[in-house]
């Protein structure tokens, strides 16, 4: 089941995100950042356990970002990641966004879902507001992709 995250889910979301960040698969998130952005998050719950996450963060009037797309290893290969991304894309469409960004170390995954690689320099400056806080800035190696709604 995929549902909106609640405050009580934050510790588990934090744990999952930072486990994957330690593997270099995505950027870490602080507890403070997660609490501030709880409304962005969806979680995948199986047998009462949080086993996946995704988030849709609004950047500008026509642009959102899919973030923190994770499915624990033992649940991968079952289409859950696609369902988490699709949930974010449905919300983006409902909100009236025209494009959804993904910044990722795994661009092939998002390309399979219909995202198209773009030059980061073509994105609005607002995108960089989180990047400048990152310890890997400016050379994080993430690839920018867009999905057009």
């Amino acid at each position: 089941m995929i549902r909106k995250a609640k405050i009580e889910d934050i510790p588990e979301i934090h744990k999952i995100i930072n486990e994957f960040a330690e593997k270099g698969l995505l950027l870490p998130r602080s507890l403070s950042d997660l609490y501030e952005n709880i409304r962005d998050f969806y979680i995948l719950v199986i047998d009462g356990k949080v086993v996946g996450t995704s988030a849709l963060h609004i950047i500008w009037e026509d642009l959102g970002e899919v973030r923190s797309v994770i499915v624990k290893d033992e649940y991968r290969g079952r289409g859950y990641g696609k369902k988490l991304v699709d949930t974010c894309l449905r919300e983006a469409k409902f909100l009236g966004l025209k494009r959804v960004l993904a910044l990722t170390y795994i661009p092939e995954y998002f390309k399979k879902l219909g995202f198209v690689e773009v030059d980061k320099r073509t994105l609005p400056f607002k995108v960089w507001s989180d990047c400048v806080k990152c310890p890997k800035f400016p050379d994080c190696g993430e690839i920018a992709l867009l999905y057009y709604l």
Side-chain angles (χ1 to χ4, degrees), residues 36-135:
E36 289 173 11
N37 294 287
I38 184 66
R39 291 183 178 134
D40 293 355
F41 278 85
Y42 290 94
I43 58 171
L44 171 64
V45 180
I46 298 176
D47 296 328
K49 296 185 300 187
V50 177
V51 299
T53 69
S54 66
L56 175 67
H57 186 73
I58 306 306
I59 296 174
W60 201 244
E61 68 179 5
D62 66 340
L63 180 64
E65 179 185 357
V66 172
R67 297 178 168 184
S68 303
V69 178
I70 305 165
V71 175
K72 284 189 170 186
D73 291 339
E74 58 268 33
Y75 296 93
R76 293 178 119 179
R78 301 179 197 178
Y80 293 132
K82 180 183 184 321
K83 289 178 184 176
L84 284 161
V85 172
D86 286 347
T87 299
C88 291
L89 294 176
R90 275 194 307 278
E91 182 182 13
K93 187 172 185 174
F94 171 79
L95 292 171
L97 298 176
K98 304 289 183 230
R99 303 171 297 158
V100 177
L101 169 69
L103 291 169
T104 181
Y105 296 118
I106 312 167
E108 302 79 24
Y109 178 77
F110 286 92
K111 287 178 183 177
K112 286 187 222 172
L113 302 178
F115 285 74
V116 178
E117 191 170 331
V118 295
D119 185 334
K120 279 194 244 184
R121 295 173 294 189
T122 65
L123 299 171
F125 288 119
K126 181 83 172 126
V127 171
W128 304 109
S129 63
D130 284 336
C131 292
V132 295
K133 298 181 233 172
C134 177

